Amino acid sequence: MNLIEDHWMPVRRTDGSHDWIAPTQLSDPDIVAFDADRADFNGALMQFAIGLLQTTAPIENRTDWKQFLTAPPDAKTLRDWFAPVAEAFELDGDGPRFMQDTTLASEASALNPVSALLIESPGENALRNNSDHFVKRGRLDGICPDCAATALFTLQTNAPAGGVGYRTGLRGGGPLTTLLLHQSPTSLWQDVWLNVTERPQHLERCGDASRNSAQFRFPWLTDVASLQPGGELAPAQVHPDHIFWATPRRIRLDFDNVAHGTCDLCGRESDRLIRQFTAKNYGLNYKGAWDHPLSPYYEVKGEWLPLHPQPGGMGYRHWLAWVLGQADAKSKQRPARIVTHALEWRRRQLGGALRLWAFGYDMDNMKARCWYESSLPLYGLGECASKEALKSVSAAVETWLAGAQQAVFYLRSAVKAAWFGGDARGDFSAIDAEFWQRTETAFYTQLRQCIEAVRQDESADPDTLESRQAWHHALRSAALDLFDTTFVGAGPIERQKPRRVAEAHRQLVNSLNGKKMREVLRLPAADKPAAGRGKPATADV
């Protein structure tokens, strides 16, 4: 089976039907998206397609790139692009196999059930301690070669910690991936192509372009020891293409003991159900300044590290950092290189409004806690024609997010005070999550207006007093409503202490209208209470 020539990629067509295609069909305008039975597989298939095109497409400048966005190459052109690397994409056989270690033998002591290819599958510890309560053992007995190829790539790309010597990927275990997509569905080709950069820009970023032998691009074509003689692998030791084909795990699928039956993932009949694979530790050990173009990064002591999904999910609070970058006294984050490249160098070439598709596993070492994915709208941001316009949008959003952070802190503190009468420990993340969800519509409404204002007049300042006042009103309304109706007010009255609740509510009102909040949002000071009146006035915002 060859992953360039065979039909192994599940897709959805414009009429909603499900189909299986070869990579040479990626430009078919009738295909709208990948359509695997698992969300992590769809994310992996997108990265496979992006990596394959980035590795092979002869795109030398922005003109070439724009031409193929509007007039996709036909199947013959794609076949010509992929042909020189096709030998690296054999999934089985006696020679080198895609993302597999050819040196491994099928030793009984190293055999694993095929279910172990899935990241959320319980490990040996969970099985031994009978602690696989939520994700049970025995869910998969055999999978077809098509699903095995996707599972293998998904594991190698996300590779979490797996015990002594079982390496993580070059972005660490369970990295966050952010891809550009069109806001309105167009075709799979256009969404994939948005995330491919011109060849010269790709070659100069991470790696040594002079190391263009096949084994420096596709590491499974040689053995681990020859590729990293010192026990570690740095970007300078391989070709830039390697970044899409990192292979930290030593795995070999067992095609000698296959069975006939139904694939436990896709439900299709197969004469070659794979039931086990060989694995061994001490694979490629990625160290150094790896810079993956599809992941945002954060800075720690002068070193840039890839971001990973965290408990609490994804939402508009991440918009600025993942789209334009964010820096404050505590942290500094930058977007994925592909996002920056698109917004700064492909202005008005992107073909309409965009969105950011963010996804990845929230990992606790070897344990998958959750799979997160979200779409963050960019509206017409890609059509802003200057860096100054992007900076003005960034400044406005930074102020809004600072105000939201302040408001959610006040809400959390007030709820804790109403419930417990003072500082209390515990998990109060539900309060934060509800607040971010409640204010999301207001945020994106203002963001759309902000971007539209800059598109119409790039010299305009979208960070107006009126917009900040409107945002203050949205934050205050959401916080008070959540306190009154969702968290504190929703509780049984017999279990509450009215005085404590009233004091917490009063403190929340004062904080939301107070000096600190107004400084963060750069609002004028609140009106002072009129002489002789006992109740303070509140500013009309």
Side-chain angles (χ1 to χ4, degrees):
M1 176 178 174
N2 186 280
L3 301 185
I4 299 296
E5 301 167 359
D6 285 278
H7 294 65
W8 65 279
M9 307 176 87
V11 296
R12 185 174 70 254
R13 294 191 174 274
T14 53
D15 62 359
S17 63
H18 185 82
D19 199 2
W20 297 78
I21 66 166
T24 53
Q25 296 172 267
L26 285 171
S27 59
D28 184 342
D30 189 50
I31 298 171
V32 294
F34 286 113
D35 194 28
D37 292 297
R38 291 172 54 98
D40 58 342
F41 280 17
N42 285 325
L45 287 166
M46 278 292 290
Q47 292 180 80
F48 178 95
I50 293 166
L52 181 60
L53 288 167
Q54 188 67 79
T55 300
T56 60
I59 308 303
E60 297 301 322
N61 51 54
R62 279 181 280 174
T63 302
D64 292 343
W65 181 87
K66 176 64 174 178
Q67 174 189 344
F68 287 114
L69 179 69
T70 55
D74 57 21
K76 181 182 182 304
T77 301
L78 289 179
R79 188 173 293 107
D80 291 341
W81 288 0
F82 302 156
V85 302
E87 65 177 359
F89 289 82
E90 295 287 348
L91 187 67
D92 53 2
D94 297 329
R97 297 180 180 180
F98 175 74
M99 284 197 162
Q100 299 171 65
D101 191 324
T102 307
T103 65
L104 293 186
S106 298
E107 302 172 4
S109 60
L111 287 175
N112 295 263
V114 72
S115 61
L117 287 176
L118 304 182
I119 290 174
E120 79 279 7
S121 293
E124 292 181 8
N125 237 10
L127 297 178
R128 184 167 52 251
N129 297 330
N130 199 31
S131 61
D132 51 329
H133 303 302
F134 301 106
V135 181
K136 301 291 186 182
R137 73 190 80 185
R139 297 175 302 126
L140 268 76
D141 181 54
I143 61 177
C144 66
D146 298 345
C147 290
T150 308
L152 178 63
F153 182 77
T154 304
L155 176 59
Q156 296 284 22
T157 300
N158 294 285
V164 177
Y166 285 91
R167 311 296 190 190
T168 60
L170 56 79
R171 292 179 283 175
L176 171 67
T177 300
T178 57
L179 304 179
L180 290 170
L181 305 179
H182 283 95
Q183 181 67 34
S184 300
T186 52
S187 68
L188 176 61
W189 170 263
Q190 290 204 332
D191 284 341
V192 171
W193 195 246
L194 282 175
N195 299 281
V196 176
T197 61
E198 298 78 12
R199 191 71 177 160
Q201 282 72 28
H202 165 63
L203 293 178
E204 69 184 13
R205 279 188 181 149
C206 186
D208 183 355
S210 67
R211 292 177 174 261
N212 54 12
S213 297
Q215 70 268 23
F216 295 122
R217 304 168 70 198
F218 309 106
W220 54 90
L221 297 181
T222 187
D223 62 273
V224 172
S226 64
L227 200 58
Q228 56 173 28
E232 295 181 353
L233 192 63
Q237 296 172 255
V238 294
H239 189 275
D241 288 347
H242 183 110
I243 206 165
F244 290 100
W245 310 110
T247 312
R249 296 293 185 86
R250 300 180 66 189
I251 290 172
R252 188 173 177 83
L253 301 177
D254 185 359
F255 281 96
D256 295 327
N257 298 283
V258 295
H260 174 83
T262 302
C263 173
D264 289 328
L265 284 179
C266 69
R268 296 181 302 162
E269 291 290 317
S270 175
D271 291 327
R272 305 181 70 203
L273 290 181
I274 300 168
R275 300 185 296 178
Q276 59 189 16
F277 66 92
T278 306
K280 194 172 183 179
N281 55 1
Y282 298 107
L284 293 178
N285 188 18
Y286 293 98
K287 300 292 183 180
W290 291 95
D291 186 1
H292 199 287
L294 305 182
S295 283
Y297 280 68
Y298 69 101
E299 187 180 36
V300 176
K301 297 179 180 179
E303 182 181 4
W304 287 98
L305 302 175
L307 281 167
H308 296 77
Q310 297 297 319
M314 304 168 179
Y316 80 81
R317 68 188 184 277
H318 301 113
W319 191 94
L320 183 59
W322 296 353
V323 176
L324 296 173
Q326 188 173 19
D328 54 36
K330 295 182 179 179
S331 65
K332 185 176 182 181
Q333 297 183 34
R334 64 166 177 78
R337 294 293 186 190
I338 186 61
V339 176
T340 301
H341 181 74
L343 295 180
E344 293 188 359
W345 297 101
R346 291 177 175 168
R347 303 173 197 136
R348 297 181 176 173
Q349 287 189 311
L350 300 173
L354 305 178
R355 59 189 171 98
L356 194 73
W357 180 26
F359 57 84
Y361 274 104
D362 170 20
M363 301 295 305
D364 179 14
N365 289 325
M366 293 178 281
K367 185 188 303 180
R369 290 183 293 209
C370 189
W371 167 265
Y372 287 117
E373 66 175 278
S374 181
S375 285
L376 312 181
L378 306 188
Y379 302 116
L381 191 65
E383 298 178 20
C384 296
S386 69
K387 290 185 179 181
E388 288 69 26
L390 298 179
K391 287 179 181 179
S392 63
V393 173
S394 177
V397 175
E398 186 173 16
T399 299
W400 303 343
L401 293 181
Q405 292 283 2
Q406 200 68 33
V408 76
F409 169 74
Y410 291 146
L411 173 62
R412 190 187 324 115
S413 300
V415 172
K416 289 165 64 176
W419 282 348
F420 305 108
D423 193 21
R425 297 180 180 180
D427 182 5
F428 295 92
S429 60
I431 299 172
D432 295 47
E434 192 69 26
F435 177 84
W436 292 114
Q437 183 177 357
R438 184 70 64 89
T439 53
E440 184 176 61
T441 300
F443 173 83
Y444 283 124
T445 297
Q446 292 213 166
L447 178 64
R448 183 197 293 267
Q449 295 169 351
C450 173
I451 294 173
E452 186 61 31
V454 171
R455 285 180 57 201
Q456 293 179 1
D457 181 4
E458 295 195 356
S459 63
D461 182 6
D463 189 15
T464 63
L465 176 60
E466 290 76 12
S467 68
R468 297 194 300 275
Q469 287 176 328
W471 183 237
H472 182 213
H473 177 75
L475 296 177
R476 187 178 60 183
S477 298
L480 292 174
D481 186 61
L482 287 171
F483 183 95
D484 291 338
T485 64
T486 302
F487 294 113
V488 178
I493 188 65
E494 66 272 12
R495 297 186 182 181
Q496 299 186 24
K497 294 187 176 181
R499 178 184 295 274
R500 191 167 69 195
V501 171
E503 290 176 351
H505 187 274
R506 181 170 58 252
Q507 182 58 47
L508 176 60
V509 172
N510 292 339
S511 297
L512 291 170
N513 290 291
K515 179 180 178 181
K516 177 65 175 178
M517 187 69 173
R518 291 180 174 275
E519 287 178 350
V520 169
L521 289 174
R522 293 185 287 114
L523 296 174
D527 296 336
K528 294 183 178 180
R533 295 183 184 176
K535 185 162 62 173
T538 57
D540 183 12
V541 295

